[in-house]
Amino acid sequence: MMKLVISACFLIAVSSVASEARPSRNLQAPGCNITMPCDFSYPQARRERAPRQALQAYRATQMTMTDAGSRATTISVSGGDRVIGGRPAGCPSSFCGCGAALRVFGRIVPELNLAANWLRFPRTAPAPGMVAARRGHVFVLEQHLSGDMWMAYDANSGGHATRMHARSLRGYTIVNPRA
């Protein structure tokens, strides 16, 4: 009876180890298969990342937007938006609220480092100098482009950079920080 219990435990241990096995990576070139095997006697081409300029040129798009009067406007939105700088001195690592306060008030306002605190300001219509806020992110409206697209001063807009770029107002509440 003891041999049976020990052998059962051994089988369970062995089968649990086998269930955690991961498939091995296939190191063959995509053109290799059973009918045309690869011998790898020729030099292998290395995969390289596309240069950043090529990616930015690929991302550059034109958007055609219509307003309520059915007037069509074409705007160019570049994927390589203009990077203005990084994290301002004295701002925390999540610095969108701090950067917006510097842009609007010219100084750091510690209570506004938290993006959700911008929602305490009174609601208003979109206009230059107003702030688009939601829990988790804020940016300052600079210039209306078309529809709900605005050129925005956007601190901590990705990659710990501050950018001037086109942003949609969808999902954001517009507030007047000067009221």
Side-chain angles (χ1 to χ4, degrees):
M1 178 70 175
M2 190 61 154
K3 276 187 174 181
L4 186 61
V5 171
I6 292 174
S7 61
C9 290
F10 178 74
L11 285 174
I12 290 172
V14 170
S15 65
S16 67
V17 171
S19 66
E20 294 177 12
R22 292 181 176 88
S24 63
R25 289 188 176 181
N26 186 2
L27 298 177
Q28 290 183 342
C32 302
N33 56 32
I34 293 173
T35 59
M36 294 195 68
C38 294
D39 64 354
F40 296 109
S41 60
Y42 55 90
Q44 297 293 313
R46 291 184 53 120
R47 288 186 187 175
E48 294 183 15
R49 297 183 82 177
R52 188 152 180 86
Q53 292 171 339
L55 288 174
Q56 289 175 352
Y58 171 75
R59 290 181 187 154
T61 60
Q62 283 194 341
M63 296 172 54
T64 301
M65 307 186 91
T66 57
D67 61 7
S70 298
R71 202 174 57 198
T73 305
T74 302
I75 60 173
S76 178
V77 180
S78 172
D81 308 312
R82 194 173 75 192
V83 175
I84 296 173
R87 179 170 58 98
C91 288
S93 61
S94 297
F95 60 91
C96 63
C98 183
L102 282 169
R103 182 72 169 193
V104 173
F105 303 115
R107 63 184 175 85
I108 296 173
V109 181
E111 301 83 39
L112 296 178
N113 288 348
L114 184 63
N117 287 344
W118 286 85
L119 295 170
R120 296 178 182 168
F121 288 109
R123 306 315 192 242
T124 189
M130 299 301 113
V131 174
R134 65 174 164 85
R135 293 188 183 280
H137 195 63
V138 296
F139 56 87
V140 182
L141 304 180
E142 296 291 324
Q143 179 184 5
H144 183 244
L145 297 174
S146 178
D148 70 345
M149 295 296 292
W150 280 77
M151 186 59 66
Y153 177 85
D154 195 358
N156 202 14
S157 60
H160 296 289
T162 299
R163 292 181 175 81
M164 282 289 266
H165 62 151
R167 289 289 311 250
S168 171
L169 299 181
R170 282 188 213 138
Y172 287 88
T173 302
I174 309 305
V175 297
N176 183 356
R178 293 181 183 89

